[in-house]
């Protein structure tokens, strides 16, 4: 066995997989930004062919043996190669554990379910979606058992988005959130918040686009390696550290919505832009997990982006771009407006404080669906109860209730918790960063270099080398601890609302 | 031998090749339109990997045998499959006839030569480029002999851009152009042309972009399948009939330049958009040759686009978009301005009449370089002589002379003639079309449907099924005859200049 030869072949395989990923990624980006409307079907053919080529590259006995050998040779190969082999072996298992015909049937099911969900949401008709959701849950339980029958199905799904995460752990996590935050959320639901009606103006798209450019520059996003596009829904796609794309959607009647989606996506982008050179083109050249990725976007969007010193840096740009709106506004008024909180119905419109309550509802319902303690037919009622209990709001219809999110229709169960966990990671990372450098001073001076430098060193450069928990320990010196998050929210909102 | 199985594998191979072509095409389009500046090198890696995958897909003994079998089974397979096999076998031979190391060396040479050419042009210094050009000519002579040592090297190169074309044929072709057009060109060089100074205005880019949209709609370009982008240099890229991209470059000081580049590229696009469904995703799903492709772009740009009835349709749009410039202009004044002719130095700025003279110079010089009757060191002088003799212009420096075009630095010899031949094809096609339908009436009514329909039927739908000469015979009922072109130019310009 020539381990050097195997390693060389393994690197070549990763480059090939990367090239095909890069190609299909650009095809998708192009599709969402500029491609002609009728081009979808033919592009689907190409994407299908590429995906088949990816499958054939990865899934064959030669690669299987290669991965087996490499993962058994931890002592004789470098750590990066070992981790790459580990992750590709995980991909290998995920791609092969489900019988092909069942997988094809499932793809057809999710496509159909997504289109039925769209119809159901538009018509506020949960009943038409119900049988699809039942089938999706059933199939995911079966698939989870194919992947690892020794674990509860929901743990298998959670592990897919956030390696190492379990329902037991999350139950504890959300219990602490519930205990510490629900009273605050309910109290704020009764309080009179700061005035924000002065923001109800119209904001021209080209002025907003100029502002986006300036804010990205302020944040230290390298224009030579990252561009901003416009799409229906904002997203980030990183192909490698020299080519990251973020997008936003401008709403003339809502400046903060597009501005903060740019800051959020720029946080994702800075992560991808900061991954070490030596990881590029390989399996580890990307964020390590959904949760860690969200930690970076939410750190920039919330902990940094909605802070008072950032409001101080931002305000002059707003005054220049929209003098008629911001001329007489103070930084503290802006800071208040950036953090207006109110329990509400819709997750994607939720503020920083109440956001995790929306996630908690979904976590509890998913867990109950997968351990059999809740039936799909009882889901809308359970949803209404939990919204009443955690957020104190009455859900008037399923469109604004259980039907609001697309995720389940595409078979994504166990995805939601990573949004909340990301914020909690972010709070812990922030606290450590604030011990090491003057974060508030940097923000106030409009100088993101120390912040970006610290995060690159602690988080970004590692890409997929360290698993989430290990990364957090390496960055902050201690295991995941949700009290950073609850403490941050409690003190911020108590101050803002004078409790 | 199971011919059905072989045919099926062959179709699958073509789909895979198409998918990789599609992917690298979109990567290139993206690169030229939106990609971040620093992304080039990593994209180069991906394109390199994809190109290696393409090579490995096509170049192996299994495919070699498959192509051999299919091309020997003309009687037992359908014509499309036979032609696909023929063309892929041609690709196969072109890819394998040159020893790999020599090919790699050549790629390095062309990259270096292109960068040296850029420097040479900027500094008006032919001498620094000379040794590279000598090496390029030498290498192309050697490569031509690898491909087919039974033919003169220049014939091998011509055949690459325009299958079937030879230097003997082109010598006759250009002799007729020279005899019939040079006197006219020289006479026009002395004449006072129509006034065009009223066009020396500034034209806002967004107004020009609106005009492009309207003109593409007028021409019947399907917006759902074809988009217009902006790039440094205009081009057309067709991925399949549902996704064609054209680009332009807006010059504030030159409305006609970008407008007619849009019309030119839209002509290319209509060809790609009209190729038959059954050819899609296969080797024949594209224009059959450079010359036929140019015939379509030039037919729309010149024979149709610079005609009096088109000027009549166009003028109201111009009056709406730029009233301050066009308010008092008549269609005939516009028609005159669209066809102002003047012998000049630069090919890409040449008018319809003098354009082929520029090509004739290049053809004669290429022919002489490849038959050994001209040395590279004597090229600048020969260039000056021919420009004096055919166009009656004095070449003041090599920057505006022999160094003006990029083609030779990239090793493209035998490419230029297809530009001129394309115009001559177009004139012959136009004459046949005008026998069958009321072309002028359609243009005057702003209704391109009969024109597009006729061209789709006669030319577009065939894609690569018929070779250029056969296509022309099929479309016009007779072999290629340059007198359509000389006759068209002579009568048009004699009328315009009152000779």
């Amino acid at each position: 066995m020539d381990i050097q030869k195997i390693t060389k072949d393994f690197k070549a395989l990763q480059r090939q997989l990367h090239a095909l990923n890069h190609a299909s990624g650009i095809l998708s980006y192009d599709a969402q930004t500029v491609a002609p409307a009728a081009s979808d079907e033919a592009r689907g053919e190409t994407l299908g062919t590429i995906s088949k080529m990816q499958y054939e590259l990865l899934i064959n006995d030669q690669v299987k043996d290669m991965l087996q050998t490499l993962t058994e040779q931890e002592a004789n190969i470098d750590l990066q190669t070992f981790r790459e082999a580990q992750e590709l072996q995980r991909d290998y298992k995920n791609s092969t554990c489900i019988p092909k015909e069942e997988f094809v049937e499932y793809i057809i099911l999710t496509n159909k379910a997504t289109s039925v969900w769209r119809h159901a949401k538009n018509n506020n008709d949960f009943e038409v979606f119900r049988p699809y959701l039942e089938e999706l849950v059933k199939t995911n339980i079966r698939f989870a058992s194919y992947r690892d029958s020794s674990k509860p199905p929901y743990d298998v799904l959670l592990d897919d988005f956030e390696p190492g995460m379990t329902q037991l752990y999350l139950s504890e996590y959300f219990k602490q959130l519930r205990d510490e935050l629900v009273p605050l959320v309910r109290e704020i639901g009764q309080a009179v918040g700061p005035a924000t009606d002065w923001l109800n103006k119209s904001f021209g798209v080209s002025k907003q686009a100029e502002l986006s450019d300036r804010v990205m520059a302020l944040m230290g996003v390298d224009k030579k390696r990252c561009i901003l596009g416009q799409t229906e829904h904002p997203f980030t796609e990183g192909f490698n550290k020299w080519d990251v794309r973020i997008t936003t959607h401008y709403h003339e009647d809502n400046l903060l919505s597009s501005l903060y989606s740019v800051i959020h996506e720029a946080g994702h982008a800075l992560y991808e832009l900061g991954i070490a050179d030596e990881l590029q083109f390989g399996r580890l050249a990307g964020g390590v997990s959904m949760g860690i990725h969200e930690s970076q976007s939410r750190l920039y969007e919330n902990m940094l982006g909605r802070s008072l010193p950032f409001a101080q840096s931002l305000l002059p740009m707003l005054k220049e771009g929209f003098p008629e709106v911001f001329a007489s506004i103070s930084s503290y008024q802006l800071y208040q407006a950036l953090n207006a909180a109110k329990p509400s119905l819709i997750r994607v419109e939720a503020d920083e404080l109440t956001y995790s309550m929306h996630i908690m509802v979904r976590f509890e319902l998913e867990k109950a669906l997968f351990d059999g303690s809740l039936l799909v037919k009882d889901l809308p009622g359970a949803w209404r109860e939990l919204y009443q209990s955690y957020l104190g709001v009455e859900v008037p219809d399923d469109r604004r209730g259980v039907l609001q999110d697309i995720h389940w229709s595409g078979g994504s169960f166990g995805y939601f918790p990573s949004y909340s966990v990301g914020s909690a990671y972010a709070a812990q990372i922030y606290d450590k960063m604030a011990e090491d450098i003057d974060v508030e001073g940097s923000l106030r001076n409009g100088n993101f270099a120390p912040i970006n430098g610290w995060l690159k060193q602690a988080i970004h450069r590692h890409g997929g080398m360290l698993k989430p928990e290990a990364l957090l320990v390496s960055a902050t010196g201690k295991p995941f601890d949700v009290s950073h998050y609850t403490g941050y929210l409690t003190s911020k909102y108590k101050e803002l609302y004078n409790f």
Side-chain angles (χ1 to χ4, degrees), chain A:
Chain A
M1 186 190 62
D2 179 352
I3 197 79
Q4 276 190 310
K5 165 90 173 61
I6 295 174
T7 303
K8 203 175 150 233
D9 290 348
F10 178 56
K11 299 289 176 180
L13 170 69
Q14 289 182 78
R15 280 201 109 91
Q16 288 187 298
L17 290 170
H18 170 268
L20 293 177
N21 269 330
H22 187 184
S24 52
I26 292 279
L27 279 156
S28 305
Y29 180 83
D30 177 270
Q32 290 176 81
T33 49
V34 296
S39 64
D40 286 2
E41 200 177 319
R43 181 174 40 256
E45 290 276 345
T46 292
L47 289 171
T49 304
I50 291 179
S51 138
K52 197 159 162 273
M53 292 172 94
Q54 284 173 309
Y55 186 89
E56 285 163 2
L57 264 178
L58 181 64
I59 307 302
N60 59 66
D61 287 346
Q62 208 187 331
V63 171
K64 192 178 178 181
D65 294 346
M66 178 196 275
L67 295 172
Q68 192 62 35
T69 305
L70 289 170
T71 50
E72 281 166 1
Q73 295 287 323
E74 187 171 2
N76 301 316
I77 58 177
D78 63 286
L79 185 60
Q80 178 179 333
T81 306
F82 175 72
R83 280 284 300 134
E84 286 169 340
Q86 246 188 349
E87 290 300 314
L88 267 177
Q89 197 172 50
R90 189 177 142 108
D91 298 342
Y92 195 103
K93 283 184 185 154
N94 286 345
S95 293
T96 50
C97 64
I98 299 162
K100 215 166 178 174
E101 288 121 62
E102 289 188 45
F103 188 70
V104 170
E105 258 180 60
Y106 177 67
I107 295 298
I108 295 167
L109 171 66
T110 54
N111 281 331
K112 179 76 183 152
T114 301
S115 112
V116 170
W117 163 77
R118 232 177 276 279
H119 174 86
K121 182 177 175 180
N122 287 337
N123 293 278
N124 190 37
D125 183 357
F126 181 77
E127 267 309 296
V128 305
F129 183 49
R130 188 185 48 77
Y132 291 91
L133 190 51
E134 284 168 348
E135 194 59 34
L136 285 164
V137 171
K138 217 173 77 185
T139 311
N140 270 283
I141 291 174
R142 194 170 73 247
F143 284 5
S145 79
Y146 293 154
R147 281 173 58 192
D148 189 347
S149 60
S150 71
K151 288 190 200 168
Y154 192 47
D155 277 358
V156 176
L157 303 175
L158 287 169
D159 183 82
D160 205 25
F161 296 104
E162 198 57 18
M165 205 46 84
T166 64
Q167 54 185 316
L168 200 66
Y169 189 94
L170 284 172
S171 299
E172 275 305 305
Y173 168 90
F174 281 113
K175 182 178 180 304
Q176 192 170 344
L177 285 195
R178 189 164 49 239
D179 291 349
E180 298 192 26
L181 298 181
V182 167
L184 183 62
V185 166
R186 300 297 297 261
E187 200 174 354
I188 278 178
Q190 307 304 320
V192 179
T196 58
D197 54 343
W198 54 271
L199 269 167
N200 298 336
K201 298 277 158 52
S202 178
F203 300 87
V205 167
S206 67
K207 284 275 175 202
Q208 290 196 53
E210 274 171 39
L211 178 64
S212 298
D213 272 354
R214 292 190 66 180
V215 169
M216 282 171 70
L218 172 69
M219 290 173 70
V221 177
D222 181 355
K223 254 189 125 156
K224 288 211 187 83
R225 301 188 290 135
C226 178
I227 57 164
L228 174 67
Q230 289 184 45
T231 52
E232 184 60 27
H233 301 285
F235 64 83
T236 297
E237 179 128 46
F239 303 113
N240 50 62
K241 64 169 284 194
W242 301 278
D243 192 348
V244 178
R245 315 286 173 97
I246 68 177
T247 71
T248 191
H249 187 105
Y250 294 110
H251 303 273
E252 296 222 339
D253 60 350
N254 195 337
L255 175 71
L256 295 189
S257 161
S258 44
L259 176 59
Y260 276 80
S261 88
V262 168
I263 298 175
H264 178 98
E265 302 305 334
H268 282 304
L270 284 162
Y271 188 3
E272 298 279 330
L273 292 165
I275 292 170
D277 284 12
E278 62 268 24
L279 299 179
Q280 298 300 317
F281 311 121
R283 177 61 180 81
L284 306 175
V288 66
S289 71
M290 269 292 308
I292 297 290
H293 235 305
E294 281 298 312
S295 81
Q296 297 310 294
S297 55
R298 285 164 195 271
L299 180 61
Y300 280 93
E301 179 191 352
N302 295 328
M303 284 86 189
L304 301 172
R306 296 184 199 275
S307 68
L308 180 57
F310 183 76
Q312 289 163 345
S313 284
L314 182 63
L315 189 57
M317 294 184 187
L318 296 172
K319 282 185 194 282
E320 261 182 59
F322 309 97
E324 66 290 2
V325 181
F326 291 95
S328 63
I329 297 296
S330 72
S331 336
Y332 197 81
Q333 281 174 300
L334 175 61
Y335 170 62
Q336 284 181 310
L338 295 178
N339 293 288
K342 194 91 193 165
S344 66
L345 291 166
I346 308 295
R347 176 184 62 85
V348 296
E349 296 166 5
D351 54 79
E352 184 185 7
L353 173 66
T354 60
Y355 188 85
S356 275
M357 306 296 105
H358 293 263
I359 299 303
M360 183 156 64
V361 170
R362 286 153 180 79
F363 165 73
E364 294 192 6
L365 296 173
E366 286 186 340
K367 184 161 77 95
L369 285 172
F370 280 86
D371 71 17
S373 61
L374 176 71
L375 296 174
V376 168
K377 75 175 175 57
D378 299 323
L379 195 55
W383 182 285
R384 279 190 287 271
E385 269 176 45
L386 290 178
Y387 263 78
Q388 185 56 261
S389 147
Y390 299 155
L391 287 134
V393 297
E394 189 80 42
V395 176
D397 50 39
D398 291 335
R399 187 196 343 235
R400 285 171 284 182
V402 69
L403 287 172
Q404 67 181 267
D405 296 310
I406 195 174
H407 301 56
W408 291 341
S409 75
S412 290
F413 301 95
Y415 187 133
F416 287 118
S418 54
Y419 292 133
S420 174
V421 166
S423 292
Y425 286 160
Q428 180 167 340
I429 292 165
Y430 182 97
D431 284 349
K432 174 63 181 161
M433 176 164 65
E435 280 175 26
D436 293 352
I437 61 168
D438 178 13
V439 178
E440 297 200 356
S442 305
L443 291 174
R444 203 173 297 114
N445 300 330
N447 174 20
F448 272 73
I451 294 168
N452 294 345
W454 191 92
L455 286 168
K456 182 172 177 180
Q457 185 63 20
I459 307 283
H460 303 166
R461 68 187 169 103
H462 297 290
M465 272 293 279
L466 298 174
K467 293 185 188 174
E469 180 69 23
L471 178 62
L472 205 64
V473 170
S474 144
T476 68
K478 57 181 198 169
F480 185 32
D481 176 0
V482 64
S483 58
H484 293 275
Y485 183 42
T486 53
Y488 156 74
L489 287 175
T490 305
S491 75
K492 178 173 181 176
Y493 280 91
K494 286 204 159 168
E495 191 272 327
L496 272 159
Y497 280 79
N498 290 315
F499 292 149

